[in-house]
Amino acid sequence: MDYKIAVIKGDGIGPEVVDSALEILDAVGEKFGHKFNYTEVLAGGCAYDEYGEPLPEKTLNVCKESDAVVLGAVGGPKWDDLPGEKRPEAALLGLRKELGLFANLRPAILFEALKDACPLKPEIIGDGLDICVVRELTGGIYFGERGFRDTEMGKAAYDVEVYAEQEVERIAKVAFDMAMKRKKKVMSVDKANILESSRLWRKTVEKVAKDYPEVALDHMYVDNASMQLVRDPKQFDVIVTTNMFGDILSDEASMITGSIGMLPSASLGENNKGMYEPVHGSAPDIAGQGKANPLATILSMSMMLKYSLGLLEESECIEQAVTKALNEGNRTGDIAGTGEKILTTAEMTAAVKANL
Ligand code: NAD
């Protein structure tokens, strides 16, 4: 089969980790007889430098016409003083909105070989961790009305959290579908003791749950959830939550697994169209030095094969190659223990490729 893939390498370590990921994707294509046709487009700081805007129309059009989008990372100190809508990160919000990517899937998996990198005590993590955070991505406070007004206390700024029933329904369905393929447990996280929007969220999730009688649904307030994630993370299977709560909790869940350099993500819309990117940012401190861990982006390719292209065996092949490469002791700097040999980005990529 032939597939059209839009490639946004972005800034900082983005180009390095995307090059690694495409090398693995090409190797998988060769092994299984697929051809991935890449169209490279700009977004983020590099797009601002070239076109004066972080998300050019051309980039959006290419992404809309492709089967899936691969993204490295955007941003860096060079662009930190630009106004909000010109900042590299504005490209991410624009891509999510314009491509209708309302569901962000972030698996937080602790690989057996990296158990020592987990900051929690061994008795808490037991035989490993596998949590999937499903975050709503195109609604809530990040997209609500915002502005300024004068108050008795001086100038005030506000951002509004709004959720419509249908927005909650569709993200809840993604979470329940995911749970059906896993341990059949969904934890919906909200702040229903305080927020009206959370009360609607909770009621709507309960309504959707009626269509999934096999899945056990529970609710948790976000403050408790952030505590439970480090106290007893094994109680979670799928966590579904709002845009802002998901932003925070998925970072917390990811740190439990050791390094941000290991964590893939998928952002999905209707018809399985998706954007695939590592959870980490552009890491300007190590950019261009060959130090970046490419595994998060490589594992994002595995998610792309599974969720957007329906290539399950190929997806599994990448996951197994990463596991084997880790079991052999291959480590980049971010996941290496004291005294362990540190590989470059290219060496780690070669180790995965050798295990495909
Ligand atoms: P970051 O994730 O870029 O880096 C945090 C730390 O983790 C750094 O020490 C970095 O060296 C390390 N790190 C990150 N990825 C790594 C990898 N693959 N291998 C080894 N080490 C890795 O977060 P930050 O420093 O807060 O942000 C840097 C820039 O990235 C900012 O401009 C921020 O806005 C942007 N950012 C972009 C995205 C995105 O594009 N999706 C996400 C988060 C942050």
Side-chain angles (χ1 to χ4, degrees):
M1 288 279 286
D2 270 30
Y3 299 97
K4 274 163 81 172
I5 312 290
V7 176
I8 300 173
K9 293 185 177 176
D11 310 312
I13 60 169
E16 300 164 56
V17 291
V18 169
D19 284 345
S20 292
L22 299 186
E23 194 179 326
I24 297 299
L25 204 54
D26 284 335
V28 169
E30 211 164 291
K31 184 175 160 78
F32 289 88
H34 305 298
K35 174 104 182 72
F36 300 104
N37 299 302
Y38 308 118
T39 309
E40 197 179 327
V41 277
L42 297 183
C46 54
Y48 175 80
D49 288 348
E50 183 81 17
Y51 301 107
E53 49 185 320
L55 183 57
E57 194 70 29
K58 182 185 167 204
T59 298
L60 260 182
N61 290 339
V62 168
C63 291
K64 282 180 183 166
E65 286 158 13
S66 301
D67 297 312
V69 181
V70 176
L71 182 121
V74 299
K78 183 180 172 192
W79 304 283
D80 273 352
D81 295 328
L82 291 171
E85 75 284 1
K86 297 282 184 195
R87 285 180 62 110
E89 295 80 0
L92 297 176
L93 295 188
L95 280 163
R96 290 168 190 166
K97 195 83 196 167
E98 292 294 324
L99 301 176
L101 307 175
F102 65 87
N104 185 219
L105 312 186
R106 283 189 177 193
I109 298 168
L110 182 59
F111 285 84
E112 179 76 27
L114 296 182
K115 264 185 170 173
D116 289 347
C118 174
L120 301 181
K121 288 183 186 150
E123 59 266 34
I124 295 179
I125 51 166
D127 57 356
L129 279 179
D130 182 358
I131 301 170
C132 185
V133 179
V134 178
R135 166 189 170 196
E136 201 289 326
L137 205 56
T138 52
I141 196 164
Y142 291 3
F143 289 92
E145 188 194 331
R146 69 191 55 181
F148 297 94
R149 64 172 169 245
D150 292 321
T151 71
E152 282 173 7
M153 309 279 279
K155 182 178 174 181
Y158 61 91
D159 302 271
V160 181
E161 169 93 343
V162 190
Y163 269 111
E165 280 174 329
Q166 285 175 19
E167 279 178 300
V168 184
E169 268 167 30
R170 64 183 185 180
I171 191 74
K173 278 183 193 155
V174 171
F176 282 103
D177 285 339
M178 175 91 15
M180 283 299 287
K181 295 179 202 142
R182 299 167 47 103
K183 295 186 202 132
K184 300 195 168 77
K185 276 167 65 178
V186 168
M187 180 66 77
S188 174
V189 173
D190 60 37
K191 190 69 183 166
N193 50 343
I194 311 270
L195 302 176
E196 205 58 72
S197 54
S198 276
R199 286 192 274 272
L200 182 82
W201 175 281
R202 195 176 272 220
K203 246 166 83 180
T204 312
V205 172
E206 277 171 358
K207 204 168 82 190
V208 174
K210 293 199 175 105
D211 295 332
Y212 298 86
E214 287 175 60
V215 178
L217 168 67
D218 270 312
H219 302 277
M220 198 177 261
Y221 298 138
V222 63
D223 40 348
N224 187 24
S226 68
M227 189 175 76
Q228 295 296 335
L229 264 173
V230 286
R231 199 189 72 86
D232 179 19
K234 288 182 82 67
Q235 69 184 289
F236 298 107
D237 177 24
V238 174
I239 294 176
V240 62
T241 189
T242 62
N243 203 340
M244 183 163 68
F245 294 161
D247 192 3
I248 299 164
L249 290 181
S250 59
D251 265 24
E252 188 187 354
S254 64
M255 263 329 286
I256 296 173
T257 66
S259 170
I260 197 154
M262 290 298 303
L263 296 157
S265 83
S267 303
L268 302 177
E270 306 286 355
N271 308 323
N272 298 328
K273 184 125 186 166
M275 184 162 84
Y276 297 84
E277 57 181 313
V279 164
H280 62 71
S282 59
D285 52 330
I286 55 166
Q289 300 171 34
K291 289 182 180 171
N293 182 348
L295 296 182
T297 319
I298 290 173
L299 289 167
S300 301
M301 298 305 91
S302 165
M303 292 186 86
M304 178 178 86
L305 294 171
K306 188 191 299 182
Y307 294 114
S308 281
L309 309 184
L311 302 174
L312 303 186
E313 200 185 333
E314 291 81 343
S315 163
E316 183 72 12
C317 174
I318 294 187
E319 270 174 40
Q320 283 184 10
V322 168
T323 306
K324 283 184 199 155
L326 290 171
N327 288 346
E328 286 171 358
N330 296 293
R331 299 285 186 271
T332 43
D334 57 313
I335 51 173
T338 26
E340 279 184 314
K341 182 173 182 247
I342 292 177
L343 301 189
T344 62
T345 310
E347 286 167 341
M348 181 57 112
T349 309
V352 175
K353 201 169 163 182
N355 277 297
L356 280 173

